Amino acid sequence: MTRIRNLASAALLGASALFAFAPLARAQELPPDQLVKNVTVEVVELITKDREIQQGDRAKLIELIDAKVLPHFNFTAMTALALGHSWNKATPEQKKRLTEEFRTLLVRTYASALAAYSEQKLDFRPLRAKPTDTDVTVQVRVLQAGAQPVPIDYSMEKTASGWKVYDVMVGGVSLVANYRTEFNNVVRESGIDGLIKNLAAKNRRFEPGAAKR
Amino acid sequence: MTRLLLVAALAGAAVGCASTAERDPRDPWEPLNRGIYSFNDMLDTAVARPVASAYQKVAPSEVRLRVRNFFGNIGDVFIGVNNFLQGKFEDGVSDWARFAFNTTIGLLGIHDIATDMGYEKHNEDFGQTFGRWGAAAGPYLVLPIVGSSDVRDGIGWGFDFYTDPLNETKPFQARWGLVGLRLIQTRADLLDASRILEEAALDRYVFQRDAYLQRRRNLIYDGRPPREKEPDDEAGDKPQKPATEEKEMHDDPDQKPR
């Protein structure tokens, strides 16, 4: 039972994990753990104070994520990692389309997860890395009453435009790795174009406005 | 018994019609599992989810927190036992201290004061203990009603079930009342997650299975699993992982660092 619950909170938080980012004026100069902390605190504050978002305004929430969170993610890297081998077989145009669709899917998922956030406390762990490292894991733990804390690990890489997230692990579940089997199943059956179509159809089905329940 | 027959029938139907192009080596029983999965899903849609939603609407979050704490406190007893069985004595003592404080000062567990005192809640069960002892996961397995599992965790779940302190509750009406309430509480805690899963996954079965396998591996190693060799590492132009990865398919406790 606890197993199911923990798995589910992992899934939930996995989805919510990306909410934690927002750009800052000096984002490029910040060390990765500081970056994560600052933007997490900022975004959490924004959403808990925004009445419309609190009342379920999904479009506004996505707007907020777009502005604050997305600049800190490297979606091309995430898509490449999720696709594995198939990525190299894709044309530049296909890569572009795939990245766009995957990004839409992830953003919508984060929005849902974020909407479920209810004032859990966050514990920002000190970074264990050398100053010269260019690939680090930033650890945050979500503390919740009556349950084991859920760790969220951001895999981040240093780029010319600052630190960028390329994977999020929630409760030990890597978001990128979790899409790999799914993606490869579709690619094997209907090719890369099939996957693009599949993702696009999925995204249209859940567009804000086409609200479910 | 009728339930078993129904499951068997469903599973048979699934074996008949599933067209799995290529089996995942971790999931050789996929057609059967998918059958049980859709049976569980049906049951969930018809009963568990509506009941849990109603419970969430009727019971204020404060009440639900108390209920969650109450059952969490009972769970700490065997979480402790499992920590002892895995040789993690400090953790085991901490779990039992949690139980002692929460049961007394925390009024039968409804207040989780032990967390405030610095005794963190752990996540252990017999499946994890067996994994820690070196048992391989075996094929992925979807259990009726219980859901995602594998052979090792399924056996572990049997032990969890057998040692469940609620089994001692008498009379049996009270026992089933508590078991039922715990089920509803658990499902209610999952409402957001299951909605998100629906939005996130192309194929919910695959997504849930892979998440389960990743999650369990992580739990067995208490959040510090050895890195595993990604089958597709050499692909992709993006980030190069360190070259220290061990060659390992997915769940190989032989390589545990102890």
Side-chain angles (χ1 to χ4, degrees), chain A residues 3-4 6 8 12 15 85 87 108 112 141 146 148 157 171 174 178-182 188 202 212, chain B residues 22 69 120-121 123 146 190 196 198-203 207 210-211 214-216 230 232 237-238:
Chain A
R3 176 189 313 155
I4 306 174
N6 279 297
L12 167 60
H85 282 308
W87 181 252
R108 193 192 52 238
S112 296
R141 297 196 319 159
Q148 198 195 29
E157 195 191 23
S174 150
N178 223 55
Y179 275 105
R180 192 170 292 143
T181 316
E182 283 205 286
R188 199 165 41 234
K202 172 103 196 160
K212 289 195 11 135
Chain B
E22 218 174 295
N69 283 347
E120 202 166 84
K121 187 161 176 68
N123 179 334
V146 179
L190 291 177
I196 291 164
E198 228 160 82
E199 292 186 20
L202 298 181
D203 178 343
F207 203 83
D210 288 12
Q214 279 199 65
R215 171 72 176 153
R216 290 299 288 177
E230 304 280 1
D232 292 316
D237 21 316
K238 275 272 106 193

Side-chain angles (χ1 to χ4, degrees), chain A residues 113-132:
Chain A
L114 196 45
Y117 173 83
S118 61
E119 298 179 1
Q120 289 92 341
K121 284 199 204 94
L122 301 169
D123 170 23
F124 298 92
R125 314 295 287 177
L127 184 65
R128 284 179 304 177
K130 293 190 289 289
T132 49

Side-chain angles (χ1 to χ4, degrees), chain A residues 3 14-15 19-20 35 41 46 80 104 108 117 133 164 186 203-204:
Chain A
R3 176 189 313 155
F19 73 67
L35 178 68
V41 169
L46 280 172
T104 308
R108 193 192 52 238
Y117 173 83
D133 285 348
K164 304 279 180 194
V186 180
N203 285 335
R204 268 197 307 278

Side-chain angles (χ1 to χ4, degrees), chain A residues 135-202:
Chain A
D135 190 336
V136 301
T137 305
V138 176
Q139 298 178 311
V140 182
R141 297 196 319 159
V142 181
L143 311 177
Q144 23 182 22
Q148 198 195 29
V150 178
I152 302 182
D153 294 355
Y154 298 93
S155 302
M156 299 178 78
E157 195 191 23
K158 194 173 189 171
T159 72
S161 51
W163 288 90
K164 304 279 180 194
V165 176
Y166 65 87
D167 191 12
V168 183
M169 299 217 349
V170 180
V173 179
S174 150
L175 204 58
V176 161
N178 223 55
Y179 275 105
R180 192 170 292 143
T181 316
E182 283 205 286
F183 282 7
N184 283 323
N185 283 349
V186 180
V187 168
R188 199 165 41 234
E189 267 166 37
S190 49
I192 288 171
D193 285 326
L195 178 60
I196 295 172
K197 253 170 70 185
N198 201 320
L199 281 169
K202 172 103 196 160

Side-chain angles (χ1 to χ4, degrees), chain B residues 166-194:
Chain B
L166 289 189
N167 292 347
E168 307 303 319
T169 315
K170 292 195 173 82
F172 76 94
Q173 287 95 334
R175 174 182 163 194
W176 288 111
L178 286 172
V179 169
L181 179 59
R182 186 172 61 185
L183 270 174
I184 296 167
Q185 173 69 46
T186 306
R187 186 62 187 90
D189 283 339
L190 291 177
L191 284 170
D192 283 326
S194 56

Side-chain angles (χ1 to χ4, degrees), chain B residues 110-136:
Chain B
I110 63 170
H111 297 282
D112 180 7
I113 52 147
T115 292
D116 302 330
M117 296 166 67
Y119 297 101
E120 202 166 84
K121 187 161 176 68
H122 297 125
N123 179 334
E124 298 295 344
D125 51 55
F126 279 99
Q128 290 182 53
T129 298
F130 298 153
R132 199 76 182 209
W133 287 351

